[in-house]
Amino acid sequence: CDPPRIGERVEFASYKVKPNYEVADLTRVISASAQRVEPRCPHFGVCGGCSMQHLESGAQVAAKQRVTALRFATKANGAL
């Protein structure tokens, strides 16, 4: 399922609890972000090829830029 956006209220099912983080699946969006849109692909959430279709295009670009910057920073620090 698609990850929640900042500011959304959601219900989730936790399946891994660690001292510094928790991993969970989103089960229901209670209050959606203005960035959330209806995915165009009927297979969204199933195949994984279009994992950001629930975001409007500007939010998709911003999310991809953050991921790319984080990966470069991590690699620069020798963590990868």
Side-chain angles (χ1 to χ4, degrees):
C1 197
D2 53 304
R5 302 302 303 158
I6 293 172
E8 288 186 320
R9 292 187 57 217
V10 300
E11 287 183 356
F12 61 92
S14 179
Y15 61 89
K16 184 187 287 187
V17 178
K18 296 290 185 178
N20 296 320
Y21 68 93
E22 189 169 346
V23 182
D25 287 326
L26 175 69
T27 57
R28 182 170 76 106
V29 177
I30 298 168
S31 173
S33 163
Q35 295 178 336
R36 186 175 289 274
V37 296
E38 191 64 32
R40 293 177 303 201
C41 179
H43 306 290
F44 174 76
V46 179
C47 75
C50 50
S51 63
M52 292 192 186
Q53 276 197 12
H54 67 291
L55 299 177
E56 57 92 15
S57 61
Q60 283 185 32
V61 171
K64 290 174 184 179
Q65 287 173 332
R66 283 191 304 274
V67 169
T68 302
L70 178 62
R71 288 191 177 156
F72 276 115
T74 304
K75 183 145 178 95
N77 290 327
L80 291 178

